[in-house]
Amino acid sequence: MIHQIILFLLSTIQIAEMSSDSVPVINPYEMNITKETGSNLELVCPISSQNTDGGPSNLMFSWSIKDIHENLVAADSRYSFPDGGRRALVTKVKPADSGVYKCRGVTGFGNQEAIFNVNILEHNSCSVDESSENQVKQRPCFLDQHMKLSMNKVTTIHKNVNSSVEFRCDAGGNPKPSYKWFNGKASADWLMEDVRRPYFRIKV
């Protein structure tokens, strides 16, 4: 009987210790990541867990890169997962490194998963050269390579009421490109006086 009571007390203590960890939560983070070829990529898992007794959390991390577990990905020496697996590092990224990166945080009370959309761009090949008047004709091209990926796509931007927002459409080419902004199919001049600039700003 005494032996059973001792086992019961030990089990109760163990449950109490486990309950000090809370359910993992996802903190605010940037989901879409863009890097140029040859640069380094660092992702920090935004998942955390609060330990109610003030001690270290038992949160465990794991990663999958394009649905491949980190243990297999780590065979490529460019990949590493330091800080207890909380971070994912990739050195000298290539276009083939583009894809969905997932991190998972697990405690005894549940798990959460955060997703990163990683896009690796080639070096910018579009430039502006006004040093000569007799340049070879060049079609307009976006100076921001990320804009090329946004062509014919809808990008949603969330802003609070009374805040400001600015869009940019900087382009190169010969002759020098001109600009005009539209709201749907109509000119957006009712929102900004000069719609023939490379940027469009709504103040409020």
Side-chain angles (χ1 to χ4, degrees):
M1 181 66 178
I2 295 176
H3 181 67
Q4 291 177 334
I5 293 174
I6 292 174
L7 288 176
F8 174 76
L9 290 173
L10 289 175
S11 300
T12 304
I13 292 171
Q14 186 176 13
I15 291 172
E17 290 177 347
M18 289 178 59
S19 64
S20 63
D21 251 343
S22 60
V23 176
V25 295
I26 301 178
N27 302 303
Y29 73 103
E30 180 60 46
M31 179 183 295
N32 300 308
I33 306 296
T34 301
K35 290 286 185 178
E36 278 198 351
T37 301
S39 63
N40 296 331
L41 171 68
E42 177 179 6
L43 301 176
V44 179
C45 190
I47 299 172
S48 64
S49 173
Q50 184 69 36
N51 194 315
T52 56
D53 63 8
S57 172
N58 294 318
L59 183 63
M60 299 180 63
F61 298 98
S62 64
W63 289 83
S64 66
I65 314 299
K66 296 188 288 187
D67 291 328
I68 302 176
H69 192 270
E70 63 179 72
N71 291 340
L72 297 176
V73 173
D76 185 338
S77 60
R78 296 182 304 116
Y79 286 81
S80 60
F81 303 91
D83 196 11
R86 183 168 177 264
R87 293 185 296 148
L89 303 179
V90 188
T91 59
K92 298 181 179 179
V93 293
K94 308 172 184 178
D97 294 318
S98 298
V100 176
Y101 289 52
K102 299 177 183 178
C103 76
R104 181 181 293 272
V106 181
T107 68
F109 285 88
N111 65 85
Q112 291 282 5
E113 184 176 81
I115 296 176
F116 296 88
N117 297 310
V118 175
N119 183 36
I120 309 301
L121 301 177
E122 295 285 358
H123 287 295
N124 198 338
S125 59
C126 181
S127 61
V128 178
D129 184 5
E130 299 178 348
S131 60
S132 173
E133 296 181 359
N134 299 317
Q135 299 176 33
V136 176
K137 290 186 180 295
Q138 178 186 0
R139 295 179 59 184
C141 57
F142 290 119
L143 298 181
D144 182 353
Q145 288 289 300
H146 187 68
M147 291 286 290
K148 289 185 176 182
L149 302 177
S150 301
M151 292 176 63
N152 302 318
K153 294 182 180 179
V154 176
T155 300
T156 302
I157 298 177
H158 298 276
K159 286 287 183 177
N160 293 326
V161 174
N162 293 326
S163 64
S164 61
V165 63
E166 179 176 294
F167 309 97
R168 297 206 65 92
C169 188
D170 302 271
N174 185 41
K176 188 177 180 179
S178 59
Y179 303 89
K180 186 168 185 181
W181 291 86
F182 294 86
N183 181 18
K185 294 184 179 180
S187 173
D189 51 9
W190 65 280
L191 287 169
M192 189 177 78
E193 291 183 3
D194 189 355
V195 293
R196 299 184 182 277
R197 298 179 181 180
Y199 64 88
F200 184 85
R201 183 183 298 120
I202 302 175
K203 292 183 179 179
V204 180

